[in-house]
Amino acid sequence: MRQAVVTPEGDRIRWVELPGQEPSRVYVHGLGATSPAYFAEVAVHPLLAGRRSLLVDLLGHGLSDRPTGFDYTLESHADALANALISAGVTGAELIAHSMGGSVAIVLAARHPHLVSRLVLADANLDPLPPRPGALGSSGIAAYSEQAFLAGGWEEVRDRSGAYWWATMRLAGREALHRSAVHLTRGSVPTMRELLLRLTIPRTYLLPEADGPLPGADALAAAGVAVVPIPDCGHNIMLDNPEAFTRATAAAFAAQGQGQAQAQDQA
C-alpha cells in the first residue's frame, strides 16, 4: 500500500500499486466502492498486466482517509486525486474509471490535463440526476439531507444496497458517502458530458449492452469518443463480465495508440 497527503489538513489518499512499465494506469472506483476490490482481477489480466498500475481509493472511501471537513465535490475529488498522482510521480496516465470515478476522471482530465493521456470510462455518470427517494445509487442517497442520512438514513441505504455493495460502502465515511452522492447528482460545471466532449485525448465509454443506446451517443462519437456496449453485464461491468471488460479496454488502448501514431505520422 502507498499513500500521499492530498489536502492542507493532512488527509491521505491510499492506493495499491502493481509494478510495471510506464505510462502508469490508474484505476478509479465508483461511489461507495474501493478500487482493489473492483479492479484487481482485470488489472492483472494478461491483456492489461505489465504496466505500473495504481488502484486508488478516493478520499472518504476504502483505504483512504475519511475527513468530515472535506466537501467531496467532483472538483475537490479530482484535485485530491491529482495531488496523489503528482506525489506518486505519475504524468500522462491512462485512467480506467467506473461510475462516479469516471466523472472524477473526466474532471481530472479537464483540470489537470498533464496527468491524463487516455480515458476508459465504465458506465460513468455524464449528466446531473434528480434525487429520488428510495432509489438505488447516488440519487437515492442524495434524497436525504445530510442530517437525516447520518441519523439513520444510511441504514435504509444499507438495506437497499445489498450485501455486495455494502461490503465496500461500509468502509466509506458517512459524510463522505452522502456528500459525494449529492455532488454527483448535481454534476460539475460545465457538466461531465460537456467536459468529455471538449477533451482532445483518446476516450472510450463502456456501457452495459442491455441498457440500450447511450443517450447522446451520436454527439460523443462525433467528438471522437468510442462508445462500446459490453454484453452480459450490469452496471459493475468489470465484475459481471471481466473477460469482456478486459478485452474492450485492451482494444481501446490499442486503437487509441494507433490513432495517436497516425496523427504523429501526418504531422
Side-chain angles (χ1 to χ4, degrees):
M1 183 181 69
R2 308 290 177 87
Q3 62 181 358
V5 173
V6 297
T7 70
E9 294 73 29
D11 305 304
R12 295 173 184 267
I13 275 181
R14 297 182 178 88
W15 64 92
V16 170
E17 183 165 329
L18 306 175
Q21 298 178 346
E22 298 286 355
S24 297
R25 286 189 177 143
V26 177
Y27 293 81
V28 189
H29 61 82
L31 179 69
T34 171
S35 286
Y38 276 67
F39 287 114
E41 181 176 359
V42 297
V44 300
H45 190 285
L47 289 175
L48 295 179
R51 288 289 188 86
R52 182 190 182 197
S53 298
L54 287 70
L55 283 64
V56 179
D57 284 345
L58 297 171
L59 272 185
H61 291 72
L63 299 170
S64 293
D65 286 350
R66 298 178 282 279
T68 58
F70 193 71
D71 61 17
Y72 295 98
T73 65
L74 292 174
E75 291 81 3
S76 293
H77 270 307
D79 290 346
L81 178 56
N83 288 338
L85 297 182
I86 292 168
S87 179
V90 171
T91 58
E94 300 173 342
L95 262 67
I96 303 170
H98 176 235
S99 195
M100 182 187 80
S103 304
V104 172
I106 293 168
V107 176
L108 174 71
R111 291 169 71 89
H112 305 276
H114 65 291
L115 295 177
V116 184
S117 63
R118 302 177 185 180
L119 284 177
V120 171
L121 307 170
D123 213 16
N125 302 66
L126 298 182
D127 305 298
L129 293 170
R132 291 190 297 129
L136 289 173
S138 58
S139 60
I141 295 173
Y144 296 91
S145 68
E146 184 169 313
Q147 182 179 10
F149 185 77
L150 297 178
W154 68 269
E155 294 174 309
E156 297 173 355
V157 170
R158 173 198 63 194
D159 295 342
R160 289 197 301 267
S161 65
Y164 197 98
W165 193 18
W166 182 249
T168 59
M169 190 191 295
R170 64 193 175 92
L171 302 176
R174 290 173 190 168
E175 293 89 352
L177 185 63
H178 182 264
R179 293 176 198 170
S180 294
V182 167
H183 289 294
L184 181 59
T185 61
R186 292 176 182 173
S188 59
V189 180
T191 68
M192 299 81 78
R193 183 183 295 271
E194 291 172 309
L195 293 175
L196 182 62
L197 289 169
R198 296 177 188 178
L199 292 174
T200 58
I201 59 175
R203 295 144 293 158
T204 297
Y205 189 100
L206 311 180
L207 75 156
E209 187 177 67
D211 286 358
L214 178 69
D218 290 344
L220 290 171
V225 181
V227 178
V228 182
I230 305 297
D232 304 321
C233 67
H235 178 59
N236 296 323
I237 303 172
M238 72 293 296
L239 299 177
D240 297 338
N241 194 342
E243 281 295 324
F245 177 89
T246 304
R247 288 196 301 272
T249 300
F253 286 140
Q256 291 169 359
Q258 291 171 0
Q260 287 182 331
Q262 291 172 356
Q264 291 171 354
D265 290 342
Q266 294 170 358

